[in-house]
Amino acid sequence: MEAEAADSPPGGVEAALCCFSFNQDCTSLAIGTKAGYKLFSLSSVEQLDQVHGSNEIPDVYIVERLFSSSLVVVVSHTKPRQMNVYHFKKGTEICNYSYSSNILSIRLNRQRLLVCLEESIYIHNIKDMKLLKTILDIPANPTGLCALSINHSNSYVAYPGSLTTGEIVLYDGHSLKTVCTIAAHEGTLAAITFNASGSKLASASEKGTVIRVFSVPDGQKLYEFRRGMKRYVTISSLVFSMDSQFLCASSNTETVHIFKLEHLTNSRSEEPSTWSGYMGKMFMAASNYLPAQVSDMMNQDRAFATGRLNFSGQRNICTLSTIQKLPRLLVASSDGHLYIYNLDPQDGGECVLIKTHSLLGSGTTEENKENDLRPPLPQSYAATVARPSTSSASTVPGYSEDGGALRGEVIPEHEFATGPVRLDDENEFPPVSIRNP
């Protein structure tokens, strides 16, 4: 549900937004700019409410909000190796971590926080920010492609398992063990995403023509959708609807495709009543005698609905959300706009554009007014992560023998008298720090 926008999109036009991402349940939109970042609520079609804005950190290229809570994670081009975690309602920094190379992406749910570097992935316990696991020596992943299930009861992680093919490694972020490897595509991966329950995983390759859906955790193929055949495209966003009935994909073209996840076996076996129905049945029967590649192409389902953009070549992300009790298609673009479409969940077809919002307009909210009154030096809880020495190995918990891992131990600065921290809307997050030997 998230994506980082390129600084210079095709065509040489400078992007207005450095990054943008929808939160886990598609109720909020976060954007990063040269000046800082902003958070918007997505509860209304007609009005786009700014929940929070900050200019304290410039040149933001990653900003992620945890559901509708006050926890937000920010990474800036000024310090691309440092992750900052904030409680924005209090105006305080919970912690910050530094890594051995640039941070490429961050994913989070109510149990885990995932930090993806080019050749490693770090898994933190989000309740105290303790490092639980470092997945080392992954194939080079220059885009930081990875996915985390928003269902914290399983916290499945998916990331590329090969440099040359579309292999997906499925990892259990709860038990911290590899589950299986899925041979998803012949070409290298461009997009992967889980549905809300973590029971399905969708993927697309760099060709962008075929999208596949697999069951989790066994990795069996459930659906196969064809986005197009005429040209290869770059898939920039792939996301399930919250009810897992639809799968949405956007790319560098002017069309957003929405697929419906339903098995058509029963309807296809019924006696056709039209000429086109007879022809369809003939093709289905003929596919049993054709080569496998041709047969697969004929059995692939086409888009159930589409959304037409008034641009192409710009970085964008899409999501499917219910706003004011109706299903909507939302597209955020690097040009600084949010486009909202109506989606017909019964008949599909062309989605109708009903509202365009500018994400760069200035506005003052009650939240911002309160932040203006906060103390000039808010309490900060810094943390530093360093590479261990290569001259000696350590087996102390929190340390790693590999040079790419974090070094240090997370130490909460106070005891939790009330038990584990709950990540609710008005929740308080404990400050943590790392002490280096």
Side-chain angles (χ1 to χ4, degrees):
M1 301 179 192
E2 48 286 296
E4 285 73 47
D7 288 336
S8 298
V13 179
E14 184 178 1
L17 304 183
C18 298
C19 65
F20 34 80
S21 64
F22 293 104
N23 68 340
Q24 295 80 4
D25 57 3
C26 308
T27 60
S28 176
L29 172 65
I31 66 169
T33 68
K34 297 292 184 182
Y37 70 90
K38 295 179 181 180
L39 305 176
F40 298 95
S41 171
L42 301 174
S43 59
S44 171
V45 170
E46 295 300 323
Q47 185 175 352
L48 189 63
D49 295 323
Q50 182 176 318
V51 177
H52 174 67
S54 173
N55 295 329
E56 293 184 2
I57 299 182
D59 216 5
V60 172
Y61 75 94
I62 294 177
V63 54
E64 298 285 345
R65 184 184 184 186
L66 178 63
F67 289 90
S68 296
S69 74
S70 300
L71 187 147
V72 61
V73 182
V74 181
V75 183
S76 167
H77 278 300
T78 59
K79 294 183 179 180
R81 298 184 177 188
Q82 180 173 298
M83 172 186 70
N84 303 279
V85 185
Y86 296 101
H87 188 298
F88 67 78
K89 285 188 177 180
K90 286 193 168 186
T92 59
E93 183 180 68
I94 297 173
C95 65
N96 64 65
Y97 283 78
S98 294
Y99 300 84
S100 58
S101 62
N102 290 356
I103 300 170
L104 301 179
S105 63
I106 289 175
R107 304 287 182 260
L108 55 162
N109 63 26
R110 289 189 173 95
Q111 183 188 51
R112 299 289 183 254
L113 187 151
L114 208 71
V115 180
C116 184
L117 312 185
E118 183 167 356
E119 295 182 346
S120 56
I121 296 175
Y122 297 89
I123 302 177
H124 294 264
N125 179 18
I126 202 169
K127 294 182 179 181
D128 57 11
M129 299 302 165
K130 183 177 181 179
L131 176 65
L132 300 177
K133 181 72 176 182
T134 305
I135 305 175
L136 300 170
D137 301 322
I138 66 174
N141 185 14
T143 63
L145 179 62
C146 64
L148 173 67
S149 166
I150 70 171
N151 182 358
H152 60 279
S153 64
N154 53 48
S155 292
Y156 286 118
V157 178
Y159 61 91
S162 171
L163 282 171
T164 57
T165 66
E167 181 178 281
I168 302 173
V169 177
L170 183 63
Y171 187 90
D172 190 329
H174 180 71
S175 65
L176 304 176
K177 296 180 180 178
T178 300
V179 178
C180 69
T181 300
I182 303 172
H185 302 269
E186 292 182 1
T188 53
L189 295 170
I192 47 179
T193 187
F194 289 98
N195 67 338
S197 65
S199 61
K200 295 181 178 65
L201 174 68
S203 65
S205 72
E206 288 187 344
K207 292 182 179 179
T209 54
V210 175
I211 296 170
R212 297 189 172 102
V213 179
F214 303 90
S215 60
V216 174
D218 56 13
Q220 297 299 310
K221 187 172 73 173
L222 300 176
Y223 305 91
E224 187 166 286
F225 303 106
R226 178 160 290 276
R227 196 213 57 79
M229 292 185 294
K230 295 181 180 180
R231 54 179 173 171
Y232 293 166
V233 301
T234 301
I235 299 291
S236 59
S237 183
L238 188 64
V239 61
F240 287 92
S241 60
M242 290 302 294
D243 60 6
S244 300
Q245 291 187 19
F246 300 97
L247 178 64
C248 182
S250 66
S251 65
N252 58 339
T253 69
E254 65 283 354
T255 306
V256 179
H257 293 79
I258 301 172
F259 304 95
K260 193 169 186 178
L261 278 68
E262 60 180 357
H263 290 291
L264 302 178
T265 306
N266 293 335
S267 60
R268 284 175 174 168
S269 62
E270 294 175 358
E271 194 66 25
S273 58
T274 63
W275 179 85
S276 60
Y278 280 109
M279 292 299 296
K281 191 172 183 179
M282 285 177 56
F283 279 117
M284 290 297 296
S287 68
N288 295 325
Y289 304 97
L290 294 173
Q293 290 182 338
V294 179
S295 176
D296 288 345
M297 186 177 298
M298 293 177 65
N299 285 318
Q300 288 162 348
D301 292 317
R302 300 295 192 266
F304 168 77
T306 56
R308 300 290 175 182
L309 307 175
N310 59 3
F311 59 84
S312 63
Q314 292 183 10
R315 184 75 166 166
N316 64 81
I317 58 172
C318 63
T319 194
L320 296 169
S321 181
T322 300
I323 301 178
Q324 294 170 319
K325 300 182 180 181
L326 293 176
R328 320 282 187 176
L329 164 65
L330 281 66
V331 181
S333 171
S334 61
D335 67 356
H337 289 90
L338 174 67
Y339 303 89
I340 303 179
Y341 298 76
N342 276 342
L343 168 64
D344 186 335
Q346 300 300 323
D347 299 327
E350 188 83 13
C351 296
V352 179
L353 177 64
I354 56 174
K355 192 67 178 180
T356 301
H357 291 287
S358 172
L359 300 171
L360 299 173
S362 59
T364 303
T365 64
E366 292 300 319
E367 171 69 20
N368 293 335
K369 290 178 182 178
E370 291 177 4
N371 286 342
D372 291 340
L373 300 176
R374 68 181 180 225
L377 294 175
Q379 193 173 12
S380 175
Y381 305 92
T384 303
V385 179
R387 295 171 67 93
S389 171
T390 56
S391 59
S392 62
S394 173
T395 57
V396 179
Y399 289 73
S400 171
E401 298 179 2
D402 187 276
L406 301 178
R407 188 187 189 196
E409 180 183 0
V410 181
I411 304 175
E413 296 198 353
H414 63 269
E415 296 295 327
F416 301 116
T418 58
V421 180
R422 293 175 55 84
L423 300 179
D424 296 326
D425 290 1
E426 301 301 324
N427 182 56
E428 307 226 353
F429 301 95
V432 298
S433 65
I434 291 183
R435 299 175 186 173
N436 293 308

